[in-house]
Amino acid sequence: MDKLFSIGFWSAVARFILRNRLFILIAIAAVTVFFGLQWKNMRFTYTEANLLPDDHEINLQYNQFLQKFGEEGNLIVIGVKDSALFTPKNFNKWNALASQLQQYDEVAMTLSLGNLQQLAKREDTVGFEMKPLLEDSITSQKGIENFKEQLFKKQPFYEGLVYNPDETSVRTAVYLKKDIVNTAARKDFILEDLIPQIDRFEAETGITVHTSGMPYIRTLNSKNIIDEIGLFIGAALLVTSLIFFFFFRSVRATIISMVTVIIGVMWAFGILGLLHYEITVLTALIPPLIIVIGIPNCIFLINKYQQEIKRHGNQAKSLQRVITKVGNATLMTNVTTASGFATFILTNSQLLKEFGIVASINIIAIFLLSLFIIPIVYSYMAIPKYKHLKHLNKRWIGSFVDWMERMVKEHRIAIFIASICLLCGGIIGIYNIRISGSIIEDMPKKAEFFKDIRFFEKEYEGIMPLEILVDTKRKKGVMKLATLKRMDRLQEYLEEIPELAKPISVAELVKYSKQAYYNGNPDYYQLPNSQERTFILSYAKNSGADTDLLNSYVDSTGQFARITTYMKDTETERYERIEENIKEEIEKIFPSERYEVTLTGKALVFQKGTKYLVTNLVISLSLAILLIALFMAWMFRSFKMILISLLPNLLPLIITAGLMGFIGVPIKPSTILVFSIAFGISVDDTIHFLAKYRQELMANNWRVKKSVYAALRETGVSMFYTSIVLFFGFSVFTISSFGGTVALGALVSATLLFAMLANLLLLPALLLSLEKEIANKATFKKPALRIIPEEIDADDESEQEEKNRTSK
């Protein structure tokens, strides 16, 4: 029954394709136009990828913080470390720059040398008032020196905000309006207004300006992603077309293949637009992935067509046999590849779900495009000439196949020993793999904005927000002296951690109030005692100085307060120790019955997201292995065949994981994808080889040795071609400026190279060594799924017998 269905189905598919050529081409053109119209719906991400599911505890805590205080990542900082700034001309231009930025609708406020306010006691009544620290523009060097003295020595409140602890650099803080931070308006302001203004200042003064902050970093990082999409697509097309032409030496075969994958890329963008998914650092990889994965389909189909033409010269028969003979095997290989990507759909990470959905849909789409376009286009063309078929007889390919056969025949023990050694080395290396939760590790190291990140880490201890939300469990509980003292004690602890910047909270404003009460004496920059508290806070209530800073650090009810600090780029292990120590200190300082204190912020969310992804990596890879094992069980109904088919594909993954441990490539969001992608692709070769192996078994009366060598010679060339295309195709990603993308490309390329060798050497060696156990398995002789229709097998068998008679 299965046999009849398989024969009938693929024969029907072949007839349908070849009898409805024009209709299918028109349908493909119509679908391509439809997807082209969806491009307008493509959106580029304006936020960091949230790697955690929406209902995760860390996400819920972070969202609670955002509800109280709004978007935290709205700060852009512009810094200078140059003594030339402190000349009247340059100093006034610096202040003018801040004033110009303040005029933009996207800016909520700026905090710069020119508009600093000092808290002072009123002369006429009980209360404080805010006075400008700088009354007018400065015209003399003496005025500059007086201002520096006033700022650095008498305004400790601004340390870490406007000047660094060493008093060697200053910065302007630009606070964007919170409602535009995650919109296109942020990108337009930064690229079209902020950067040109800073460039103009640098040109006029010759002073280097360093710019950073989460909105700025995210904007330039997104711009790099967008710029690289076109680069990847162009490079992937160039590399794959050159390799394809080198193998086939046929311009028309190359053009047909390139047109096929270009249509696939257009569909990929259209599907992204249709589903309204954002283009992230992951989904940006899908179009070039489609090129790299689509070309092997073209290789198998065109190579088989040319082999059939060479064999009997009948074009109609060749086209039909390409579809019926290669179609099923190619379908299975594409399904397994898609399955490797589709396992990401089962994770709880929205980022990975979207990537898995779009990638798996497009892999099936590129299979259908290849199956339709290549036979149809060739049916309209003349039969390939001898020059188009010469590549089938290349000596170096023959030498390569001879070498493989010789290794499998004479050096099986060496193959097993080498495999075991590589396995042991890989396992040792796995224990050295580290996990990286760094937000900036994957960013382009040569980009100016990355150098600026390092500048602010050095001068101000970091730019990644880390927040502590204090819930006093009662209204106006924040301004209680006991609460303020507890917050100050925690801040003193945080200041001792080298990776953290000076924390800011309402406690700093209260300290500033006491300094102002004592006529601005910086020695009194401290919390008031119980006697001072009453009249100092009464001054504050009567002052009307309800500043934006106060609103930023205490909610409207006075129940919640935040302590904000900024973190350097920190190793995951060190970060976890810091987090644990901070939580222990919080438990000591804030009694749980009176306070609820939560550690949150983007730095924490990203770190936890990375660890969550590692767990999902294990789940998705396990699912991929299970799914493909089920495919093998369905096809061959033999447990031994499942093991034999999985071993050559698991070994390269272990080798690559070990390699990551030895050379120091960490597990992070980008490199997590390597294993599922590589496993889904590498198992394709196994399916092709086993399909041909079974066919040869039937043609050779179940003689294992003869069948293995015949399968190796038949599929070795195509497997070699596709593996080389995949190797160089994924190597394209190494031209990226993003470290994670480079690592992804290099690691997948290396894994696929190992997988090719494993499938061409280890897999045949295993089959030969276990020939007695396999050859007698009736379940393997009659699999549940017929990869190659038996009608075709019979033809091949008769051709094989004819060859044998001729040779005799």
Side-chain angles (χ1 to χ4, degrees), residues 514-646:
K514 179 173 179 178
Q515 179 188 350
Y517 180 80
Y518 287 102
N519 300 314
N521 187 338
D523 293 336
Y524 290 95
Y525 185 75
Q526 54 191 248
L527 289 176
N529 56 38
S530 54
Q531 290 80 22
E532 296 167 326
R533 175 189 175 278
T534 303
F535 54 82
I536 286 178
L537 291 183
S538 68
Y539 262 77
K541 288 176 183 176
N542 295 330
S543 67
D546 192 19
T547 65
D548 287 333
L549 283 173
L550 180 62
N551 293 334
S552 297
Y553 291 95
V554 182
D555 81 317
S556 57
T557 66
Q559 178 178 335
F560 294 89
R562 68 191 279 198
I563 300 172
T564 300
T565 183
Y566 293 90
M567 193 169 196
K568 286 182 178 179
D569 183 36
T570 307
E571 292 283 343
T572 299
E573 293 81 1
R574 172 61 182 158
Y575 178 88
E576 289 174 345
R577 286 199 297 273
I578 292 172
E579 180 192 352
E580 186 179 337
N581 293 339
I582 291 174
K583 286 182 175 178
E584 288 177 1
E585 196 67 20
I586 287 172
E587 289 176 5
K588 292 178 188 174
I589 296 171
F590 293 93
S592 58
E593 65 273 9
R594 291 175 56 192
Y595 300 95
E596 185 176 337
V597 183
T598 306
L599 192 64
T600 186
K602 287 196 187 300
L604 176 75
V605 171
F606 196 85
Q607 287 277 357
K608 297 297 183 185
T610 302
K611 288 202 73 175
Y612 180 81
L613 278 189
V614 173
T615 304
N616 276 269
L617 160 69
V618 177
I619 295 170
S620 65
L621 186 57
S622 301
L623 285 171
I625 293 170
L626 176 63
L627 200 58
I628 290 165
L630 290 175
F631 276 133
M632 296 298 183
W634 187 36
M635 285 190 292
F636 301 117
R637 290 187 178 177
S638 167
F639 181 72
K640 284 189 173 67
M641 286 307 303
I642 295 172
L643 292 179
I644 288 172
S645 60
L646 289 180

Side-chain angles (χ1 to χ4, degrees), residues 76-368:
I76 298 175
V77 285
I78 307 168
V80 169
K81 187 176 184 178
D82 192 333
S83 58
L85 179 70
F86 292 102
T87 61
K89 177 186 173 184
N90 293 338
F91 185 81
N92 290 328
K93 284 185 179 295
W94 179 252
N95 293 333
L97 173 63
S99 298
Q100 289 163 357
L101 294 176
Q102 180 71 69
Q103 304 307 312
Y104 288 101
D105 293 336
E106 294 85 357
V107 177
M109 65 172 285
T110 60
L111 191 65
S112 185
L113 299 179
N115 64 3
L116 295 181
Q117 303 284 310
Q118 59 178 328
L119 197 63
K121 192 162 63 171
R122 284 183 177 173
E123 300 293 338
D124 55 342
T125 184
V126 174
F128 297 122
E129 62 179 339
M130 300 297 289
K131 289 184 175 180
L133 193 62
L134 186 66
E135 297 285 353
D136 300 303
S137 60
I138 295 177
T139 58
S140 66
Q141 191 63 39
K142 185 177 180 181
I144 295 279
E145 297 304 322
N146 289 338
F147 176 80
K148 288 170 66 178
E149 177 73 18
Q150 175 73 6
L151 175 62
F152 294 153
K153 305 304 180 188
K154 298 182 180 180
Q155 301 294 328
F157 176 77
Y158 290 115
E159 181 185 325
L161 268 176
V162 176
Y163 64 90
N164 71 339
D166 296 335
E167 301 174 4
T168 55
S169 71
V170 296
R171 66 180 184 177
T172 293
V174 180
Y175 293 89
L176 299 183
K177 290 180 179 175
K178 293 182 177 181
D179 58 347
I180 68 103
V181 169
N182 295 325
T183 69
R186 180 201 78 203
K187 178 196 72 171
D188 296 339
F189 166 71
I190 290 173
L191 296 179
E192 297 172 14
D193 300 319
L194 177 69
I195 293 176
Q197 290 280 13
I198 293 171
D199 290 344
R200 192 175 299 114
F201 172 82
E202 289 183 321
E204 291 174 355
T205 63
I207 294 173
T208 300
V209 177
H210 303 275
T211 310
S212 198
M214 293 308 296
Y216 183 81
I217 293 170
R218 283 153 53 184
T219 299
L220 268 66
N221 206 39
S222 296
K223 184 176 182 298
N224 274 25
I225 292 171
I226 295 164
D227 292 343
E228 286 196 351
I229 292 177
L231 178 67
F232 285 154
I233 291 173
L237 285 172
L238 178 64
V239 169
T240 53
S241 63
L242 288 175
I243 297 171
F244 192 96
F245 181 77
F246 174 76
F247 285 151
F248 284 90
R249 300 296 171 92
S250 169
V251 173
R252 71 178 185 179
T254 305
I255 292 174
I256 292 168
S257 300
M258 291 304 109
V259 169
T260 303
V261 295
I262 287 170
I263 293 172
V265 168
M266 295 175 71
W267 285 23
F269 281 124
I271 290 170
L272 279 170
L274 183 66
L275 297 175
H276 294 273
Y277 287 164
E278 291 182 340
I279 293 182
T280 64
V281 70
L282 291 186
T283 51
L285 300 177
I286 291 174
L289 271 176
I290 295 306
I291 297 172
V292 174
I293 293 171
I295 286 295
N297 290 340
C298 300
I299 287 176
F300 275 112
L301 290 165
I302 293 175
N303 198 47
K304 188 60 189 173
Y305 173 65
Q306 293 183 349
Q307 285 177 348
E308 292 294 330
I309 289 291
K310 182 183 176 184
R311 181 178 293 174
H312 50 70
N314 186 320
Q315 186 180 44
K317 183 179 179 182
S318 298
L319 291 170
Q320 184 178 21
R321 295 189 71 181
V322 163
I323 298 169
T324 54
K325 194 167 184 178
V326 181
N328 206 10
T330 309
L331 171 63
M332 289 306 302
T333 58
N334 280 267
V335 166
T336 53
T337 302
S339 300
F341 286 91
T343 53
F344 291 121
I345 301 172
L346 303 176
T347 67
N348 290 321
S349 169
Q350 189 61 29
L351 178 76
L352 287 181
K353 275 185 180 179
E354 292 181 2
F355 177 76
I357 289 169
V358 178
S360 53
I361 289 173
N362 278 285
I363 288 167
I364 299 301
I366 193 66
F367 159 73
L368 293 174

Side-chain angles (χ1 to χ4, degrees), residues 14 34 148 159 170 262 401 438 453 470 495 508 529 538 804:
F34 170 75
K148 288 170 66 178
E159 181 185 325
V170 296
I262 287 170
V401 173
S438 168
I453 291 172
V470 180
E495 280 196 73
E508 301 304 308
N529 56 38
S538 68
N804 293 338

